[in-house]
Amino acid sequence: MEADVLTVLKEKNHPRNWDELGLEMRPRKAGVLKNEPVYEFFHTLDDSLEVNPQSIAISVQPVKSFIPFHVHNFVEIIVPLVGECTVITNNDELKLKQNDLIIVGNHTIHRVEPIEADAIVVNLTLKDTAFNLNDYHFMNEDRATKKVSSLLFSLLSNEAQGENIYRLFRTHQDKKIHLLLEDIIQEFYYPDTQSNQIIRLELLTLFGRLIRSAANEQAMIAGEDDGAINLLSLLLYIEKNYAQITLDEMAQHFGFNPNYLSSYLKKHTGLTFIKLVHLQRVNVAAEYLTYTNAPIEQIALKVGYENPSYFYKMFRKYLKLLPTEYREKYSFQAQKTD
């Protein structure tokens, strides 16, 4: 990371006394966890403890400082840029090495253990206004060509689904991920023309790279009540095997009872197994319609629908357009000739 940015971060991460900080912030007590109070931190604060109204904000974790259990009404990303840190949640003690990254969901109870004096830990906060529907949410009534794995991030941001959802990503010194993080921080602390837009787009790219990393190694830590299950692994499996997938085969692959797996998916995504499969199929079909001239019946068969009429029905149900209408509206070839 650029030396000048590290200098700025070090200047801002001096120790804080919670007794004084609590009086200044005046957070509302939201409950008790492990015999410790839990507070609502519903305002994003800058490093001077002023309320930051921006949809995307960054602050530095104070060193050698106790911060109690708390919840946010927004998504938080915690990254140790120098040194390590430990994040405590309702169920787990998660040790983050340098450049690891944890995404903490809306209303998820957590705290960061006091960090060493030479450590630098950055917190990125993402309010629900940070991204529009086309960017961040899994489905909407317009164009929806995102993969099932993208659902993870809308779950993290959703108050109803996000409670006690978090994901730890081991970046394994992935230079592309690190460069994205560095540039996001640089743009925030040294803003210039279009900085907010650049930060937003780079965060979306970061999410994509994190999903790719998880798909390549399937080595993430689960943050669910049942630590044996990794939600993103399940979503990635559907994304990879959507054309011929069955609930029984998927359950056998992960070693679960089919009914249990079905209930788990419904509980943690709000969607049934079959709906997740349909969503993946029609989204892949939408990409074929956009970027190829393949016959629609051939596309239907390729994504898992032997009956073209049923494909038309499902496509219209989820994307609000017939495949022919979708191709006419979004086709890359059609856009080229306009």
Side-chain angles (χ1 to χ4, degrees):
M1 177 165 286
E2 296 290 337
D4 54 348
V5 177
L6 285 176
T7 300
V8 169
L9 297 177
K10 288 179 181 178
E11 290 173 352
K12 296 178 180 295
N13 73 344
H14 54 83
R16 305 275 190 180
N17 183 299
W18 170 248
D19 291 333
E20 298 175 2
L21 193 60
L23 288 174
E24 193 167 348
M25 293 173 60
R26 297 182 182 178
R28 191 176 79 88
K29 189 174 178 181
V32 177
L33 176 63
K34 301 176 182 178
N35 296 318
E36 297 182 31
V38 178
Y39 296 94
E40 290 182 348
F41 288 2
F42 281 7
H43 295 291
T44 55
L45 304 180
D46 61 21
D47 296 307
S48 300
L49 301 183
E50 298 293 329
V51 174
N52 189 326
Q54 293 177 258
S55 297
I56 299 171
I58 299 177
S59 61
V60 192
Q61 187 80 15
V63 299
K64 303 181 72 173
S65 303
F66 169 78
I67 304 295
F69 282 116
H70 57 277
V71 295
H72 304 297
N73 58 351
F74 47 79
V75 174
E76 182 178 37
I77 302 175
I78 302 170
V79 189
L81 298 176
V82 177
E84 302 178 349
C85 73
T86 300
V87 178
I88 309 294
T89 69
N90 189 17
N91 300 310
D92 294 306
E93 182 174 303
L94 307 170
K95 296 185 181 298
L96 280 67
K97 297 180 181 179
Q98 185 168 318
N99 290 317
D100 284 344
L101 181 154
I102 187 170
I103 305 180
V104 181
N106 193 334
H107 283 82
T108 294
I109 299 174
H110 66 287
R111 67 177 171 86
V112 178
E113 291 278 76
I115 60 176
E116 297 296 327
D118 57 351
I120 299 177
V121 178
V122 170
N123 305 312
L124 295 85
T125 58
L126 314 177
K127 296 180 182 176
D128 58 4
T129 55
F131 303 100
N132 60 44
L133 287 175
N134 285 325
D135 291 333
Y136 198 59
H137 291 286
F138 180 59
M139 266 324 236
N140 61 80
E141 294 188 359
D142 191 20
R143 189 178 186 192
T145 56
K146 296 190 176 181
K147 299 293 192 294
V148 164
S149 53
S150 300
L151 177 60
L152 173 68
F153 297 103
S154 59
L155 292 173
L156 286 162
S157 67
N158 185 290
E159 181 174 343
Q161 295 289 344
E163 185 175 352
N164 202 37
I165 290 184
Y166 44 92
R167 281 294 176 271
L168 172 61
F169 292 85
R170 302 291 187 188
T171 63
H172 299 292
Q173 303 304 317
D174 185 318
K175 290 184 178 179
K176 291 183 178 179
I177 290 176
H178 301 163
L179 287 173
L180 278 170
L181 285 168
E182 289 180 14
D183 200 57
I184 289 167
I185 295 168
Q186 176 94 24
E187 290 288 341
F188 183 83
Y189 282 104
Y190 295 92
D192 201 343
T193 305
Q194 292 292 305
S195 282
N196 289 339
Q197 180 76 345
I198 289 170
I199 289 171
R200 184 180 69 85
L201 293 173
E202 289 190 327
L203 278 169
L204 291 171
T205 304
L206 174 65
F207 293 160
R209 290 204 173 278
L210 291 174
I211 288 174
R212 174 188 285 180
S213 175
N216 286 341
E217 64 173 87
Q218 295 288 298
M220 297 171 56
I221 292 179
E224 311 301 323
D225 293 336
D226 184 347
I229 300 180
N230 181 320
L231 179 60
L232 185 53
S233 293
L234 301 179
L235 297 176
L236 288 167
Y237 185 86
I238 293 172
E239 181 174 307
K240 182 178 180 180
N241 300 283
Y242 63 90
Q244 305 296 332
I245 195 171
T246 68
L247 179 63
D248 287 345
E249 289 174 352
M250 182 175 174
Q252 183 177 6
H253 177 83
F254 286 97
F256 302 134
N257 176 281
N259 291 334
Y260 176 76
L261 177 60
S262 179
S263 298
Y264 182 88
L265 288 170
K266 175 66 175 177
K267 175 183 176 182
H268 290 278
T269 70
L271 303 172
T272 63
F273 165 79
I274 192 62
K275 190 167 186 178
L276 287 167
V277 173
H278 283 312
L279 288 171
Q280 179 63 18
R281 287 178 175 178
V282 299
N283 276 290
V284 173
E287 291 185 349
Y288 282 124
L289 290 167
T290 301
Y291 299 110
T292 78
N293 292 318
I296 292 177
E297 290 73 15
Q298 182 180 337
I299 292 174
L301 187 62
K302 189 171 183 64
V303 300
Y305 294 106
E306 295 184 4
N307 185 333
S309 297
Y310 187 57
F311 167 66
Y312 271 75
K313 179 181 178 181
M314 291 297 101
F315 196 95
R316 185 171 187 175
K317 177 179 179 181
Y318 292 110
L319 297 189
K320 312 304 179 185
L321 292 171
L322 290 171
T324 48
E325 296 170 333
Y326 190 95
R327 171 169 270 171
E328 183 177 348
K329 184 175 182 180
Y330 294 115
S331 170
F332 178 73
Q333 294 299 324
Q335 292 175 17
K336 261 181 96 174
T337 57
D338 284 346

